[in-house]
Amino acid sequence: MPQIFPRRANSLVSAMLWGGLVGGVALVIVAITLGSSAHTTGVNSTPEQPVPFSHGHHVGGLGIDCRYCHTSVEQSDFAGLPPTSTCMTCHSQLWTSAAMLAPVRQSLQHDKPIAWVRVHDLPDFTYFSHRAHVNNGVGCESCHGRVDRMPITTQQKPLTMQWCLACHRHPEPYLRPENRITALGYDPAGDGIPGHELREHYGIRKDNLTECVTCHR
Amino acid sequence: MSGRPVRRGMGGLLILLVSACDQGPMTNQPKYETFEPAPRWPHNQSARVPVAGTVARGEAIDPRVPETLPMPLTRELLERGQALFNIYCSPCHGRDGAGAGMIVQRGFPAPPTLHSDRLRQASLRHFYDVISHGYGVMYAYADRVARSDRWAIAAYIEALQLSQYARVDDLTAEQRARLEGGSSGQAGEGAQQ
């Protein structure tokens, strides 16, 4: 019977074996780096908004507190976005003919809400609650960064499970006193009351914070 | 042959890779998150406007507004009032209530000082009503400030008014000693009026 495979097939097979192995490892590395890259997690994503609203001007420049606009952040899972009438508490008198604000005026006139584009969006299979965080010493800045320096709102943190867990395992260096939750530029680890005292003050129990069911329910 | 498991492994890896990119049905489930757009509903909104006369859970059903503070006046109430005043009112009225807040400095019509004789005579109910319905060019804050919080702010405004007219006689002996020692500038200014 004639040989089906020529002799060199032997080396071909071993080349394929090794190639497959190396290729596989490379694939895994590519998958992991892609998976945690800014492109996939959405860090720095800055969607275009219907009105170029600037936290830089309103928060950094004018010093308006987050809760003036994100009213429900302490009472609800959802932080809340301001209705048009909230913009109008000031813009009924200020910048009343600015072209930039035309969509706001039209929204009021036609009673049609402004369709803001989401900047942060967790997958629907996760549960997140603002109330649980901002009433337990976690400030906006820890998760949203320096919004007072953003001309257009940007996602600054990766919002991955790894990122959530890093704090849930060891929240102490991030905790602030009640009156500093919306403050920006406050350094919880350096400026204030030591983290373990605040953890006791808020009665935070770390054991259930890493249970799957805390965030997947 | 030992090439098979390797290929299978690679196939598995490919599937893993593809599924890592999956924005599948679990990521975007057929449910509305808060404020998610809902095509074919009015204005594409999933959030509906409650019918007129809806009473929020936990709010009093009785539409009549009490004439004065319906809850005991406590330190907590005043502190709540202070926090809310600083969030919602200070941009225009200033933290001291004199009416020179940041938005006024940027051209918003100046509100009157809260320390005028007329407003010092005004009842808590008047402040409650101004917050609920607005006043002149000032918009209503009813959609953002709950009823009990409106009373907290009203009570705090009165405390703010009193603070501007504090007298030396109102202080305890200890506070007076500290004041005469000249260590507290702010209390000193208030006391001289």
Side-chain angles (χ1 to χ4, degrees), chain A residues 71 83 85-86, chain B residues 131-132 140-146 150:
Chain A
T71 311
S85 63
T86 297
Chain B
I131 302 172
S132 309
Y141 282 76
D143 60 340
R144 279 181 279 168
V145 183
R150 291 176 220 165

Side-chain angles (χ1 to χ4, degrees), chain A residues 36-169:
Chain A
S36 59
S37 73
H39 175 71
T40 320
T41 58
V43 169
N44 292 334
S45 87
T46 312
E48 196 179 323
Q49 301 289 354
V51 181
F53 175 81
S54 161
H55 283 89
H57 280 146
H58 290 88
V59 177
L62 303 170
I64 309 173
D65 191 280
C66 314
R67 290 161 289 185
Y68 190 93
C69 295
H70 303 298
T71 311
S72 61
V73 74
E74 285 172 335
Q75 293 93 26
S76 133
D77 294 346
F78 187 72
L81 284 179
T84 305
S85 63
T86 297
C87 311
M88 280 300 171
T89 52
C90 296
H91 289 294
S92 58
Q93 302 290 326
L94 288 175
W95 288 54
T96 46
S97 50
M100 245 190 261
L101 282 159
V104 180
R105 293 190 295 270
Q106 270 157 22
S107 160
L108 188 80
Q109 210 173 7
H110 303 297
D111 196 21
K112 197 173 170 216
I114 304 171
W116 300 109
V117 182
R118 280 210 81 117
V119 183
H120 304 74
D121 199 1
L122 291 176
D124 287 5
F125 56 76
T126 52
Y127 167 71
F128 178 79
S129 167
H130 275 94
R131 178 181 47 177
H133 290 94
V134 300
N135 295 326
N136 280 303
V138 188
C140 319
E141 188 183 351
S142 298
C143 303
H144 295 304
R146 292 298 298 263
V147 294
D148 59 333
R149 294 180 183 156
M150 295 178 190
I152 297 290
T153 319
T154 303
Q155 179 185 328
Q156 282 205 339
K157 307 283 164 155
L159 308 188
T160 55
M161 178 159 138
Q162 191 182 24
W163 174 79
C164 308
L165 284 173
C167 177
H168 277 205
R169 289 199 185 102

Side-chain angles (χ1 to χ4, degrees), chain A residues 16-17 20 24 27-28 31 61-62 64-65 67-68 71 74-75 78 81 83 85-86 88-90 92-94 111-113 121 123-125, chain B residues 1-3 6-7 10 13-14 17 26-29 31 33-35 43 45 80 87-88 91 102-103 106-109 137 139 141 143-144:
Chain A
M16 271 168 63
L17 277 175
L27 224 59
V28 169
L62 303 170
I64 309 173
D65 191 280
R67 290 161 289 185
Y68 190 93
T71 311
E74 285 172 335
Q75 293 93 26
F78 187 72
L81 284 179
S85 63
T86 297
M88 280 300 171
T89 52
C90 296
S92 58
Q93 302 290 326
L94 288 175
D111 196 21
K112 197 173 170 216
D121 199 1
D124 287 5
F125 56 76
Chain B
M1 258 196 61
S2 57
V6 172
R7 291 238 187 97
M10 275 186 66
L13 269 170
L14 269 176
L17 248 188
M26 292 302 278
T27 302
N28 232 326
Q29 298 168 11
K31 66 177 182 188
E33 291 190 283
T34 315
F35 288 171
H43 301 319
Q45 264 181 299
R80 173 101 188 131
I87 294 169
Y88 294 110
M102 183 53 107
I103 307 304
R106 298 300 168 98
F108 198 89
V137 296
Y139 267 47
Y141 282 76
D143 60 340
R144 279 181 279 168

Side-chain angles (χ1 to χ4, degrees), chain B residues 86-146:
Chain B
N86 288 342
I87 294 169
Y88 294 110
C89 319
S90 74
C92 296
H93 289 275
R95 287 192 173 225
D96 56 0
M102 183 53 107
I103 307 304
V104 174
Q105 292 169 36
R106 298 300 168 98
F108 198 89
T113 169
L114 297 177
H115 305 299
S116 66
D117 280 341
R118 181 175 66 86
L119 286 173
R120 290 185 69 220
Q121 306 299 326
S123 63
L124 291 188
R125 171 68 196 270
H126 178 63
F127 300 141
Y128 180 97
D129 288 340
V130 172
I131 302 172
S132 309
H133 308 299
Y135 189 90
V137 296
M138 175 184 148
Y139 267 47
Y141 282 76
D143 60 340
R144 279 181 279 168
V145 183

